[in-house]
Amino acid sequence: MTQPITLVAAPSNTAYAAARQLSDGQAKPLGALGELETLGAWVCAVQGACPPRQLDDVRVVVFAGDHGVATSGVSAYPTEITAAMVAGIAGGHAGVSALAAANNVRVSVHDIAVAVDFPQLPQIGRHKVRHSSEPIHLADALTLAEVEQALAAGDEIAAAEIADGAQLLIAGDLGIGNTTIAAALIAATLGISAAAVTGRGTGIDDTTLNHKIAVIDAALDRVGAARLADPVDRLAAVGAADFAAAVGFIAGAARRGVPVLIDGVIAAAEALIAEDYAPGTKAWLQAGHRSTEPGQALALDRLGLVPLVDLKLRLGEGSGAVVAVPILRSAVAALTGIAQLSDLG
Amino acid sequence: MTQPITLVAAPSNTAYAAARQLSDGQAKPLGALGELETLGAWVCAVQGACPPRQLDDVRVVVFAGDHGVATSGVSAYPTEITAAMVAGIAGGHAGVSALAAANNVRVSVHDIAVAVDFPQLPQIGRHKVRHSSEPIHLADALTLAEVEQALAAGDEIAAAEIADGAQLLIAGDLGIGNTTIAAALIAATLGISAAAVTGRGTGIDDTTLNHKIAVIDAALDRVGAARLADPVDRLAAVGAADFAAAVGFIAGAARRGVPVLIDGVIAAAEALIAEDYAPGTKAWLQAGHRSTEPGQALALDRLGLVPLVDLKLRLGEGSGAVVAVPILRSAVAALTGIAQLSDLG
C-alpha cells in the first residue's frame, strides 16, 4: 500500500479555545449564535489566530475532466458538454461565475483531463494529465504514474493559490460522467454497494440509473477489494485524473494550513480520499452544501461534516460551496463585531 | 370582528413566469440550481420585473418592547436586559450589528414599548406606544387603541424605509419575554395548545418551561376563543405593542410591494397575524432561518414558508434572516449572470 504522504498537522486547539472564550464573553445569551459560534471557532483554529482574520480572499478552483464511462450511457448529456462548460467558466458566464461574483469569490479552471484541448486558452491546460479516462467497468481509468502526476498538479495549484493570498479554497468539479466516478470512489472507500451511493446526477431516468449502478458494480468487481484499499490505486482503478488533482489540491491546502470548503458529491468523494491519502486533512474542511446525490451524505458522515446549506443545487462547479461562503464570513463577523459583556460594565 | 385593512395585491405572475423561462433557457441542466431558481423567480414576482434588480438595499428594523409576563418567571434574563440590548444595537455592537455589517444590511431600532425611556437616543422613541405591557395571564396586554397605534406606527416605519430605498425588509425583535408572547400568539392563531408551541427561548430549564406553558394556557383561557379569533383583539389580549408594530410593518411592506424576510419565532408569529390582518401578505414573504422554537415551524407551515438556513441561532434581533440575505442575492445573481444556451450557439 502506498504510504500516506505525511500526516497533516492539526488546527490550533489554542485558537479554538480562545474563540470559545471570546464568544462566551460576548453580550448575548450563551450559545445564542449556534452553529456560527462553532464555525467561528473552527476558522480561528485553522487560522491559528483569535480573533480571526476576515475571509476576504476565497477562491474556487474548478478541475475539469472527461470520463470514459460517459460514453457508456450513464449520463443525460454528451461528453461535448464538458468542453463547452470549460469555455463558459473561462468566459465568466457559467453558473459558478455568476454565484462567485455575487459572493466575492474568485474562479479559475484547470483542464486536467478534458477529451479535447483548448489552444485558445493555453493557461488552463498547463497541468493537463491526459485526454479523458478509460471506462472504469472495462479497464483502469488511468495509470499509477498519471495519478501521481495529477496529485502533484493539484498540490502545485494549491501552493500557487495560497502563495497568491488565498484564505479559503473550494475544489469545483466539471465533467460529464463525474457523478458516476464519485459514486464508484465513495462505494470503494466505504466498502458499500453502488446502489447505496448512486444518484441521478444531472437528471437521469430509472433505466439509466440502473445501468449506472451496474457499471459501477462491474468496475468494483473488476478491480477487487485489495487494490481498492489503497487511495492511489483506487484513483487509478475507478477514479480519474481530475479527481486525483482535486485530492492533491485538498490535501495540499490542508498541509499548508489553509481550509477548504467542500461542495457536492464530487468534492465529498475527493475529500474522503484526501483523508485516506493525507490523514488529518478532514480537520481543515467544512461542507458547504447538501447534495441531492446520496453518496455525498455517506462521505460527509464518514468525515464528520455537516453541510451549511441545503438548496437542492446539482450544478457542480463548486457552486453550492460558493453560496455557503457568506455563512463563514458571518461566523467571523460574529466573533469580531460583538461587544464583550465585561466592556459594557 | 375587525375588517382586514385591505386585501394585499398578489406579486406578478408574469414576472414569475418570465424568470422561470429565463432560468430554463440558461446554459445549465434544467433545474440544476434548485431552490435558487424558485427564489429568483419569487424575487422577480415581488419586484414585478425580470430580470430582477440586485438586492443592494436591505434593512432590518428592530422592534423593541418589554412584556409584563417577563416578571412572572418565564425568562432566563431580567427585563433590564432589554434596555441594554437596545443600547447595544443603537451603538452598533450587538449581534445583529456585526452580522448585518458583514452582509451589507442596514440596522435601525425602534423603542415601541420598552419599560424605560432612552432620553439620549430620542430618534428611536418617536413611535413609542407605551411602557411594557400587562402580564397576559392576568390582564389584556394593551388596549385596542394601543394596538391600532402600534399597527399604524409599523406601517409608517415601513413606508419611510421604502421611500428611502429599501428593497427587502426584515423585522427584528428585541425584548425579554418575547418568546412567551410569540408562543401565545401562535397558539391562539392556530388554535393549538401552549405545550405544542412553547420552547426554551434564550435557555430556560424544565421547571421554567412548564411554568411558561402554564402562563400561556392561563392567558388563552382568560381571553377565550371568540376574542382570539380577531387579529387586532388577539394582539391586545395576548400580544404586545412591539409585535403589533411589526405586524403593521410586515403588512405595510407587502401592501407597498416590498418583500420581507422572516427571522425566527417572533417574526413568524407576527407574519401569521399579518396574514390574518391583511390577507395576501404571505406571498410577499420568505423565511430566512429555522428557529429552535417549535412554534416557528408551525407558523411557517401555515404560511407555506420554508427557511433558507438552519444554523441553530436563537439570538433574535433579526439575526437569522440577516445571515440568509446572501442566498437571496445569489438567487438574483443566478438569474442575471448565467448565459442563455441560445446565445452560445
Side-chain angles (χ1 to χ4, degrees), chain A residues 4-126:
Chain A
I5 48 165
T6 52
L7 286 174
V8 173
S12 166
N13 282 329
T14 309
Y16 188 93
R20 284 299 193 178
Q21 192 174 355
L22 181 63
S23 183
D24 289 351
Q26 288 176 330
K28 60 172 180 54
L30 204 65
L33 285 175
E35 297 299 328
L36 287 186
E37 297 187 17
T38 311
L39 283 171
W42 174 79
V43 171
C44 290
V46 297
Q47 291 186 350
C50 178
R53 292 181 293 280
Q54 302 299 312
L55 294 170
D56 294 322
D57 192 321
V58 181
R59 304 178 187 206
V60 51
V61 177
V62 179
F63 295 88
D66 276 304
H67 306 97
V69 286
T71 57
S72 305
V74 295
S75 174
Y77 288 87
T79 57
E80 289 72 19
I81 293 290
T82 301
M85 289 169 68
V86 168
I89 293 180
H93 49 72
V96 72
S97 319
L99 296 171
N103 290 293
N104 189 25
V105 171
R106 293 166 62 171
V107 183
S108 60
V109 57
H110 289 278
D111 167 16
I112 303 296
V114 180
V116 298
D117 292 324
F118 301 87
Q120 76 286 22
L121 297 167
Q123 75 285 7
I124 72 166
R126 61 189 191 280

Side-chain angles (χ1 to χ4, degrees), chain A residues 30 32-33 35 311 313-314, chain B residues 30 32-33 35 311 313-314 330:
Chain A
L30 204 65
L33 285 175
E35 297 299 328
L311 295 165
L313 308 191
R314 48 187 176 76
Chain B
L30 203 65
L33 285 175
E35 297 299 327
L311 295 164
L313 308 191
R314 48 185 176 78
S330 283

Side-chain angles (χ1 to χ4, degrees), chain B residues 68-76 135-138 180 183 194-195 198-200 204-219:
Chain B
V69 286
T71 57
S72 305
V74 295
S75 173
I136 59 170
H137 56 309
L138 303 176
T180 302
T198 308
R200 292 176 189 275
I204 55 175
D205 60 20
D206 283 351
T207 305
T208 310
L209 177 62
N210 288 331
H211 177 63
K212 183 174 174 180
I213 291 169
V215 163
I216 295 168
D217 273 333

